[in-house]
Amino acid sequence: MIGLAILAIVLISGAYKMLRARRSAGGAGNRRRAADPNAALALGFLPADRLDTDRGAPPAPGEVAALDAVRAGDWQAGAAWLDAAGQDWDERFRRVGVLAGPAAEDDAWLLAWRAERPEDAGAAAVHADAAVSVAWKVRGSLGAKHTTQEQFRVFHRLIAASQEVMAEAQRLADPADPVPYMLEQPVAMALGYTHERYGELWAEIVKRDPKVLSAHTGALQYWCRKWRGSHEVAEAFAKASAASGAPGDLLSLLPLYAYVEYEMAEEDLAPEVFYQRPDVVAATDAALADVAAADPADRRVARVRHVLAWNLYWQGRYAEAVEQFRAVDGYIGATPWTYVSDSRGRYLRARDFCVREAAA
C-alpha cells in the first residue's frame, strides 16, 4: 500500500512546491539581504553546500547504519535501533519517524518485519507512521484553497487506510508508551477532529507522559489557526505547556513555535517589530535559560537553538544569535528554516547577517 502511493506524491507535489515557493519569495523572512558570507566562513561556519537541509541535528549513534541496513532489507537492524531508544519517548518517536521515511519509499523490509513479528509494537508504529506520512505528503500542508480536489481524493483514501494500522499500533504498545497516540496527531489535523475528540487523544498522551516535547509541539500544530484553533488558543496552549515544565525540560520551545506560526501566518507583520514585542523577548529569554539548564547531550536542545537564533536575529541581539548559530551550524532541517522552500537561503541570510553585525 505504501509504495504504490509514491507515484501519486510525485505527480501531485509539483503544485504544492510552486505555491510554497511563492510564499517564500514574498515572505517576511526575506526582508533582510544576506551579508557577505566570507566573514562567517573565516570564523569556521560552513559554506552553503555543506548545510544538511534534511536534519536539524547530527544523526544519532547508529542511525546511518540502521537506515542503510533497512534499505538493504535488514529489518532486524532497524528494530534493534528503535528498541535502543528505551522509554525516552521523544527519541523513540523520532526514531519511528526516521524509519518511516524509507518505509514510505519501499516497504518490503517493513512488511518482512511485520510478517516475522506480527505483535511487534515497534513495527506497527513504523507502519502507522509511514502510512500517515504518505497520505500527508499527498495532502500537503497548505490550506484547503491551495489543495486540489485530486489531492483531497487520494489523501482521504490513504488516511482512511491508515486508521486500522494506527489502532493496531496503539493496541500493541506498552501501556506506558505515548508514541502511537502521538502518531495520531497529524491525522487529527488532517481529518479535522473536533476539539472534544482531540481532547480525548491528548488525554491518552499526557496520562502516559505529560512532558514529551514532541507531543506538545504536535498539539500546538492542531491548535494553530491554520488547522483547528486560532492564534490566541495556540499561544495560550504554548504558555501553559511552558509553565508545566521544569528547567531543562525544554517546554519553553512551545511559545517560540507559537510566535513563529503567528508571524508566518500574517504576511503584513514586520518581523523586526513583531519579534521585539516584550512577550516574545521574555519567551526568548526563558528559552535561553532552559537551554542553559538542559543536558548538553540532549538532542532536543538543537530544536530550541534554531528558533532562538531566529528570534535573536530579529531582536538585534547578534552576538547571542551567533552563539546559537555556531551550535547548530551544519544541520538546518528545522523550524524556522524549513517554513519556506529555500530553507538554506533563509538560514544563510540570518546567520551571515548576525556574524557581520556582531563583528561590527
Side-chain angles (χ1 to χ4, degrees):
M1 175 193 71
I2 297 171
L4 293 177
I6 300 303
L7 178 60
I9 295 173
V10 172
L11 294 174
I12 291 171
S13 63
Y16 165 75
K17 290 179 180 177
M18 289 176 63
L19 286 164
R20 188 157 183 177
R22 279 190 215 131
R23 172 68 177 92
S24 172
N30 293 290
R31 291 178 187 170
R32 286 179 175 169
R33 295 185 178 276
D36 185 333
N38 289 330
L41 299 180
L43 292 177
F45 287 96
L46 295 176
D49 61 0
R50 291 181 59 192
L51 298 176
D52 186 330
T53 58
D54 294 324
R55 295 186 178 96
E63 181 171 332
V64 174
L67 287 173
D68 288 344
V70 297
R71 289 190 176 106
D74 180 7
W75 60 264
Q76 292 94 335
W81 181 68
L82 177 57
D83 287 344
Q87 292 195 334
D88 180 341
W89 304 126
D90 261 311
E91 182 61 15
R92 182 173 175 83
F93 176 76
R94 192 189 74 82
R95 293 189 185 197
V96 166
V98 168
L99 291 171
E105 298 167 2
D106 181 354
D107 58 3
W109 63 271
L110 175 58
L111 296 178
W113 183 5
R114 301 233 57 201
E116 184 70 20
R117 298 182 186 173
E119 298 296 302
D120 190 313
V126 173
H127 193 171
D129 197 26
V132 172
S133 178
V134 169
W136 192 259
K137 288 177 182 177
V138 170
R139 161 55 174 90
S141 62
L142 297 179
K145 67 179 181 180
H146 296 307
T147 305
T148 69
Q149 289 303 308
E150 180 64 8
Q151 281 176 283
F152 277 124
R153 186 187 67 79
V154 177
F155 164 74
H156 282 296
R157 176 171 61 81
L158 293 174
I159 204 71
S162 76
Q163 300 310 289
E164 183 177 348
V165 69
M166 181 71 68
E168 184 181 22
Q170 293 169 355
R171 177 182 65 81
L172 293 173
D174 183 307
D177 183 1
V179 169
Y181 297 91
M182 293 164 61
L183 295 174
E184 192 177 342
Q185 289 181 297
V187 178
M189 291 185 291
L191 296 184
Y193 281 16
T194 64
H195 291 180
E196 292 75 16
R197 184 177 178 186
Y198 183 79
E200 293 171 359
L201 174 62
W202 183 242
E204 293 292 340
I205 294 170
V206 297
K207 79 178 182 182
R208 288 164 171 82
D209 191 327
K211 293 187 179 182
V212 181
L213 181 60
S214 294
H216 284 260
T217 58
L220 179 65
Q221 287 297 309
Y222 174 86
W223 292 116
C224 283
R225 191 183 71 177
K226 65 186 179 184
W227 294 114
R228 301 298 294 179
S230 66
H231 293 325
E232 294 75 19
V233 171
E235 186 174 332
F237 174 82
K239 289 180 177 179
S241 291
S244 73
D249 284 343
L250 301 176
L251 289 172
S252 60
L253 174 62
L254 271 295
L256 304 191
Y257 272 10
Y259 292 130
V260 169
E261 289 288 347
Y262 190 119
E263 185 261 315
M264 288 294 293
E266 303 292 341
E267 294 191 11
D268 293 336
L269 284 179
E272 62 273 20
V273 176
F274 175 80
Y275 286 104
Q276 294 197 46
R277 282 174 23 181
D279 55 333
V280 181
V281 173
T284 302
D285 290 339
L288 284 167
D290 208 5
V291 166
D295 181 351
D298 189 335
R299 291 181 53 84
R300 304 174 305 162
V301 170
R303 298 180 67 185
V304 189
R305 290 191 185 278
H306 282 288
V307 195
L308 280 172
W310 178 250
N311 283 21
L312 294 166
Y313 160 60
W314 287 112
Q315 290 169 12
R317 300 163 67 177
Y318 303 119
E320 292 174 273
V322 169
E323 292 180 19
Q324 304 304 320
F325 282 116
R326 189 174 293 284
V328 301
D329 200 48
Y331 295 90
I332 63 169
T335 303
W337 325 119
T338 55
Y339 269 40
V340 296
S341 59
D342 182 14
S343 57
R344 183 179 284 109
R346 167 175 271 208
Y347 176 83
L348 289 170
R349 276 187 291 274
R351 185 198 73 181
D352 295 350
F353 187 92
C354 288
V355 169
R356 184 191 70 185
E357 295 299 307

